[in-house]
């Protein structure tokens, strides 16, 4: 999820709801799923540095930890089926070293899972990408419900404003980052601003799209979003240490996170993530599953070839320039653009979550069959709302794939 600057929490370019409307959060008796132990056992804490590339990656990570005063970094890089670099640097909490099996939230990596789920359901004829919001959520009162399609939601071309920059949302969150926010509350904050443009004509990043998309997928699939993602995406990919989490809790062992974004260095591990995306798509994982996921999403493992091509097609790079009145719109080109739940940047298929001082990278370069997973936690001397994992990834790309250096977001 993208950083919003200054005192605002971060999130990057990142339902257990009743059909027909945005309701309250998950019921109190719904337990948070716990990943199985087998993946934790397979995810060893052994540091790996194979050959010159592995040594280079290890050196880049350790240099970044020192230079940017990072609390910890988890990293894992594969080329094809070979693990070329892996490690855990720093402490989870003072005196407790970070380990590769520690769990964290993967933020907007879930957007790629939601895009995959949508395309799978479209392949089966359960939905059409051209179905509108009103098709599946006839009682949801949002502008353009009969014109905004599921494809526009996942591609972020709906014109819907993002609730994250809203002053009311920012003030409320920063006053109490542990509170639960319902989807309806998030949507209400979003539409204090009118839609930015006619549906499908421009691009702007908005968490709002995924809150609504999650509810639509749950309605179309006839099951809670978390169940659909688990059964259709997470489990088929073999991600045994990855699961939706329905509360601020994380499965053990937990990677502790920290930030200065509220003006003081404080722990953020259990800040409530309910604002991030649709309930059921806040997902816990570990670094081993994250690198496997990067390769699986980046190869379209679960999708028909035509669906995968649609997922990474440069359609947003073909849009006309946005209206001058849209101060948050972005004009893309073939070097960098947004697909269906993923960003394509210099050939990499990726997402880069950021929440509460924990920045991540989930990236795959098809040309090199290279997958990168990173999670970097800020320290007291780090710059708040900065995704240091993305900076590390850029340095790795410069060293290993100089023809594919990701441009600045």
């Amino acid at each position: 999820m993208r950083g919003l600057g200054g005192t605002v929490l971060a999130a990057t370019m990142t339902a257990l709801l009743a059909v027909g409307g945005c309701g309250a959060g998950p019921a109190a008796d719904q337990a948070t799923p716990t990943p199985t132990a087998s993946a934790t056992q397979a995810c060893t804490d052994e540091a790996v540095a194979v050959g010159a590339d592995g040594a280079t990656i290890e050196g880049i990570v350790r240099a970044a930890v020192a230079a940017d005063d990072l609390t910890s970094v988890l990293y894992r890089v594969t080329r094809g089926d070979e693990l070329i670099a892996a490690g855990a640097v720093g402490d989870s909490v003072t005196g407790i070293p970070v380990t590769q099996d520690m769990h964290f939230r993967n933020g907007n990596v879930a957007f790629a899972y939601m895009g995959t789920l949508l395309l799978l359901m479209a392949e089966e004829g359960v939905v059409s990408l051209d179905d509108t919001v009103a098709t599946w959520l006839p009682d949801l009162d949002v502008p353009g419900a009969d014109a905004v399609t599921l494809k526009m939601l996942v591609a972020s071309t709906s014109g819907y404003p993002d609730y994250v920059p809203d002053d009311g949302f920012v003030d409320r969150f920063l006053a109490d980052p542990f509170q639960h926010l319902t989807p309806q509350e998030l949507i209400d904050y979003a539409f204090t601003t009118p839609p930015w443009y006619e549906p499908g004509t421009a691009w702007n990043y908005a968490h709002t799209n995924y809150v609504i998309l999650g509810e639509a997928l749950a309605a179309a699939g006839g099951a809670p979003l978390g169940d659909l993602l688990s059964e259709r995406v997470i489990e088929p990919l073999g991600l045994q240490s990855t699961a939706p989490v329905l509360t601020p809790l994380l499965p053990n062992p937990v990677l502790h996170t920290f930030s200065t974004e509220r003006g003081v260095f404080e722990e953020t591990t259990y800040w409530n993530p309910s604002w991030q995306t649709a309930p059921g798509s806040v997902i816990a994982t570990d670094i081993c599953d994250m690198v496997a996921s990067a390769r699986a999403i980046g190869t379209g493992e679960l999708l028909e070839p035509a669906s995968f091509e649609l997922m990474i097609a440069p359609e947003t790079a073909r849009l006309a320039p946005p209206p001058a009145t849209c101060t948050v719109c972005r004009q893309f080109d073939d070097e960098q653009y947004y697909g269906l739940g993923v960003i394509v940047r210099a050939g990499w298929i990726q997402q880069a979550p950021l929440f509460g001082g924990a920045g991540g990278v989930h990236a795959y370069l098809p040309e090199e069959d290279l997958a990168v997973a990173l999670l970097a936690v800020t320290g007291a001397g780090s710059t708040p709302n900065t995704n240091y994992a993305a900076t590390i990834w850029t340095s790795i790309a410069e060293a290993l794939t100089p023809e594919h250096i990701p441009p600045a977001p």
Side-chain angles (χ1 to χ4, degrees), residues 28-364:
D29 61 351
Q30 289 177 309
T32 297
T34 300
T36 62
S38 59
T40 298
Q41 294 165 356
C43 185
T44 67
D45 198 41
E46 179 183 1
V48 174
V50 176
D53 286 348
T56 295
I57 293 166
E58 181 180 31
I60 288 170
V61 170
R62 291 190 175 276
V65 171
D68 298 317
D69 192 32
L70 302 179
T71 299
S72 64
V73 173
L74 297 171
Y75 65 98
R76 209 161 176 93
V77 181
T78 63
R79 182 180 286 117
D81 294 326
E82 181 186 17
L83 177 64
I84 61 172
V89 182
D91 284 351
S92 179
V93 293
T94 303
I96 307 297
V98 66
T99 59
Q100 293 182 53
D101 61 351
M102 287 181 170
H103 293 96
F104 52 87
R105 301 178 192 92
N106 66 9
N108 60 20
V109 173
F111 295 176
Y113 296 173
M114 292 171 74
T116 299
L117 176 61
L118 173 62
L119 288 164
L120 288 170
M121 293 172 71
E123 288 175 1
E124 298 165 356
V126 175
V127 300
S128 165
L129 297 182
D130 294 326
D131 288 346
T132 66
V133 171
T135 301
W136 293 105
L137 304 172
D139 297 330
L140 183 61
D141 183 17
V142 293
D146 58 353
V148 171
T149 67
L150 301 184
K151 185 179 180 183
M152 292 174 192
L153 292 175
V154 75
S156 223
T157 59
S158 65
Y160 287 161
D162 191 4
Y163 52 81
V164 173
D166 178 79
D167 288 342
F169 170 81
V170 172
D171 291 344
R172 179 173 172 181
F173 178 86
L174 292 179
D176 178 9
F178 300 99
Q179 66 187 297
H180 180 84
L181 288 156
T182 69
Q184 186 61 63
E185 287 175 312
L186 298 174
I187 289 172
D188 289 344
Y189 281 123
F191 290 107
T192 60
T193 300
W196 288 107
Y197 47 82
E198 290 297 313
T201 63
W203 187 92
N204 70 288
Y205 187 76
H207 297 77
T208 313
N209 291 309
Y210 287 91
V211 172
I212 296 172
L213 177 62
E215 187 176 2
L217 290 172
L225 178 61
D227 291 353
L228 295 173
L229 289 171
S230 293
E231 295 166 5
R232 303 301 311 279
V233 180
I234 295 169
E235 292 172 10
L237 291 180
L239 305 179
Q240 297 181 60
S241 195
T242 301
V245 287
L246 306 179
T247 75
L249 293 177
L250 288 164
N252 287 321
V254 175
L255 175 68
H256 288 256
T257 58
F258 305 86
S259 174
T260 58
E261 63 195 80
R262 293 204 308 159
V264 61
F265 186 59
E266 61 184 333
E267 180 164 1
T268 62
T269 310
Y270 300 110
W271 280 8
N272 196 312
S274 58
W275 65 269
Q276 291 184 321
T277 181
S281 60
V282 174
I283 294 171
T285 193
D286 65 19
I287 201 68
C288 300
D289 271 9
M290 197 169 181
V291 77
S293 167
R295 189 181 189 214
I297 293 296
T299 58
E301 183 175 316
L302 298 181
L303 298 172
E304 297 291 336
S307 296
F308 180 60
E309 288 303 312
L310 189 59
M311 184 182 219
I312 61 172
E315 290 189 15
T316 57
R318 306 288 182 261
L319 294 171
T325 53
C326 183
T327 58
V328 297
C329 286
R330 174 72 179 270
Q331 181 75 54
F332 288 119
D333 56 30
D334 287 343
E335 182 72 358
Q336 182 172 209
Y337 58 88
Y338 203 86
L340 304 187
V342 297
I343 304 166
V344 180
R345 186 173 284 147
W348 294 85
I349 300 165
Q350 58 97 203
Q351 278 288 11
L354 178 60
F355 172 64
V361 164
H362 175 273
Y364 178 73

